[in-house]
Amino acid sequence: MRMQRLQAFKYELMPNSETQRQLRRFAGSCRFVYNKALALQQANHGAGEKFIGYVAMAKHLTAWRNGEETPWLKDAPVHPLQHALKDLDKAYQNFFAKRADFPRFKRKGSGDSFRYPDPKQIKLDPGNSRIFLPKLGWIRYRNSRDVLGELRNVTVSSKGSQWFVSIQTQREVEKIASQATTAIGIDLGIARFATFSDGTYLEPRNSFKTKAAKLAKYQRRMAHKQKFSNNWKKAQANVQKIHMQIANARRDFLHKATTTLSQNHALVFIEDLQVGNMSKSAAGTAENPGKNVAQKSGLNKAILDQGWGEFRRQLDYKMAWKGGMLFAVPPHYTSQECPECHHVSADNRQTQAKFVCVKCHYENHADHVGAINIKERGYRLLACGDAALSRSVKQEPAEVSQLSSGMQ
């Protein structure tokens, strides 16, 4: 059997000073179009009108490009500008479907990017390590690996002072069967990044925590400079550099971990954690202030520092590429249920790390217990389906009111 694989190949661009100015201008034009369309949507909603779809919004873009107020929009390629409107339309659709928060205005220097969606306008010359982009011409890039497949689109993005190109391709590959034969359950946490059902575990990388003091020092220096002055821009570059180091270290750690898991296991079971809900602020409102706000803020930082969402995303597609399968199971009571007698009680977990069953006196590390229960639930999910598993979860004792996961 064969399957279609979408894959992106990312490279660092090596533009000259003039091309860098053009890149910043095009990214700024796309950001302007996105923000102007978002402001128009908000004003339209305030007037009681219906949501403006992409087709109708594209007509506004034509007027903006031909108008007297923003004639400079004509200097930017039209397809990236249109794609900025599609990004906003997708953001609204995700909001309507309750998959994301309400769209926010974009800021300069934060995630500057633009996309060329038409592959016919793009030329790739890997032999000379260069790529041709409309209204930019040929740009050299650091050719670290071959581009495989038929080119679909190209995204140009910036991080700090560096520019990158992400080339998405599509190709047909053989659908292979996993060479591994084992299954494993994974309990994600903070003290331990991942604890496995076989008793092994991974120490956390804590890339933000290790750089937090240095980052705070440079942020203080930046705060003491006059905004947008040359010294302020130099301090900002140092802050951005540290953020890049944090992100690169976390991404490298997650890629190594997920690659190893996908190569060594045919089935992987993880908790279906809602990271966005788990890391929400506890500050509350002026009328109803939250409790233990400082402690919850520290917990939120620790959760986000682990990169659980990115870990699951990487593991999902890598397991598929290797012929394995990834299953997410409900996280209810995984660290409060005894894997021997299946007695569920909040008293079973006496401390952060210690698990002692109050009924049969089974002892183990609490995260290891969670991983064992996750694996068992995964097998039940495969054997009985969602309905049987949901019934078994609902039958847990009512006095256990808190959801428990490896981070508790």
Side-chain angles (χ1 to χ4, degrees):
M1 296 179 62
R2 302 183 69 84
M3 59 180 290
Q4 296 292 328
R5 175 184 294 184
L6 286 173
Q7 186 173 359
F9 299 85
K10 191 173 183 178
Y11 307 92
E12 182 183 353
L13 288 173
M14 297 185 291
N16 56 34
S17 57
E18 176 59 30
T19 304
Q20 287 188 46
R21 283 192 291 270
Q22 289 289 86
L23 291 170
R24 288 193 293 267
R25 288 178 61 194
F26 293 173
S29 297
C30 291
R31 182 176 62 251
F32 173 85
V33 168
Y34 183 96
N35 289 342
K36 191 172 180 65
L38 177 56
L40 181 60
Q41 290 281 20
Q42 292 181 350
N44 188 66
H45 177 73
E49 300 293 335
K50 293 183 178 180
F51 172 75
I52 305 174
Y54 166 73
V55 176
M57 190 64 78
K59 295 180 181 178
H60 287 282
L61 174 60
T62 302
W64 298 337
R65 295 182 77 244
N66 296 326
E68 296 181 357
E69 294 183 0
T70 55
W72 44 269
L73 285 177
K74 279 189 174 182
D75 297 335
V78 65
H79 286 175
L81 298 179
Q82 292 172 342
H83 205 275
L85 296 180
K86 290 183 179 179
D87 287 341
L88 178 61
D89 187 76
K90 185 177 180 180
Y92 265 101
Q93 299 304 327
N94 288 334
F95 169 72
F96 294 148
K98 298 182 179 180
R99 292 190 295 265
D101 293 332
F102 190 82
R104 295 181 294 180
F105 290 98
K106 293 187 175 183
R107 296 186 302 171
K108 181 180 179 181
S110 178
D112 287 341
S113 65
F114 54 94
R115 176 174 294 178
Y116 291 96
D118 187 2
K120 297 179 181 178
Q121 297 184 335
I122 303 163
K123 300 176 185 177
L124 188 63
D125 183 10
N128 293 309
S129 301
R130 59 178 189 165
I131 185 171
F132 179 87
L133 300 174
K135 293 199 174 184
L136 286 172
W138 290 100
I139 309 176
R140 293 197 175 276
Y141 64 93
R142 298 189 184 276
N143 193 359
S144 56
R145 55 175 175 165
D146 294 335
V147 177
L148 305 177
E150 181 182 351
L151 195 147
R152 293 287 302 272
N153 59 67
V154 165
T155 301
V156 179
S157 60
S158 70
K159 284 187 178 179
S161 60
Q162 296 175 297
W163 287 91
F164 299 88
V165 60
S166 182
I167 304 170
Q168 188 185 62
T169 66
Q170 180 177 354
R171 71 183 191 274
E172 195 175 63
V173 297
E174 291 286 346
K175 192 172 183 179
I176 62 174
S178 176
Q179 301 300 312
T181 57
T182 58
I184 198 165
I186 305 175
D187 182 87
L188 297 176
I190 295 174
R192 293 177 173 183
F193 171 74
T195 304
F196 306 114
S197 55
D198 60 5
T200 59
Y201 62 91
L202 287 177
E203 293 287 353
R205 180 64 177 83
N206 292 331
S207 56
F208 177 81
K209 185 178 180 180
T210 56
K211 296 279 187 180
K214 187 176 181 180
L215 177 62
K217 180 180 73 173
Y218 281 102
Q219 286 175 330
R220 286 193 297 269
R221 290 183 181 179
M222 182 178 168
H224 294 157
K225 305 290 190 297
Q226 183 179 354
K227 203 168 186 180
F228 303 120
S229 66
N230 288 334
N231 286 334
W232 181 87
K233 291 178 181 178
K234 292 177 183 178
Q236 183 192 42
N238 288 327
V239 171
Q240 291 175 336
K241 182 179 179 181
I242 296 173
H243 277 300
M244 283 188 61
Q245 291 173 348
I246 292 171
N248 290 339
R250 182 185 296 119
R251 189 181 303 108
D252 178 72
F253 171 78
L254 295 177
H255 271 297
K256 289 177 179 177
T258 52
T259 297
T260 301
L261 286 168
S262 63
Q263 289 175 341
N264 295 337
H265 302 285
L267 290 173
V268 174
F269 303 105
I270 62 173
E271 294 173 292
D272 190 13
L273 299 175
Q274 304 300 315
V275 181
N277 294 335
M278 295 170 65
S279 58
K280 280 186 176 179
S281 173
T285 62
E287 297 79 13
N288 187 23
K291 298 180 180 179
N292 301 322
V293 177
Q295 294 90 324
K296 184 61 169 66
S297 176
L299 178 61
N300 290 349
K301 288 181 180 179
I303 290 174
L304 296 175
D305 195 14
Q306 305 308 312
W308 293 343
E310 178 65 10
F311 174 80
R312 177 172 172 176
R313 187 192 72 84
Q314 291 183 14
L315 193 57
D316 190 17
Y317 76 79
K318 289 182 182 181
M319 290 297 296
W321 286 1
K322 296 294 182 180
M325 289 184 287
L326 174 70
F327 290 93
V329 303
H332 307 72
Y333 319 115
T334 52
S335 62
Q336 298 177 0
E337 179 181 353
C338 177
E340 290 290 329
C341 67
H342 300 289
H343 176 69
V344 180
S345 173
D347 297 331
N348 286 347
R349 189 164 189 176
Q350 299 180 356
T351 65
Q352 175 70 23
K354 188 176 182 180
F355 180 96
V356 180
C357 180
V358 296
K359 185 176 181 180
C360 71
H361 308 295
Y362 171 84
E363 293 187 28
N364 203 338
H365 193 285
D367 293 341
H368 187 199
V369 169
I372 294 172
N373 288 330
I374 289 167
K375 181 179 178 181
E376 181 182 351
R377 287 189 182 181
Y379 280 137
R380 289 157 61 189
L381 179 66
L382 287 175
C384 305
D386 294 340
L389 185 61
S390 63
R391 284 197 301 270
S392 67
V393 171
K394 290 178 182 178
Q395 291 169 359
E396 305 290 2
E399 64 268 15
V400 183
S401 58
Q402 293 184 340
L403 300 184
S404 179
S405 64
M407 49 76 60
Q408 290 181 317

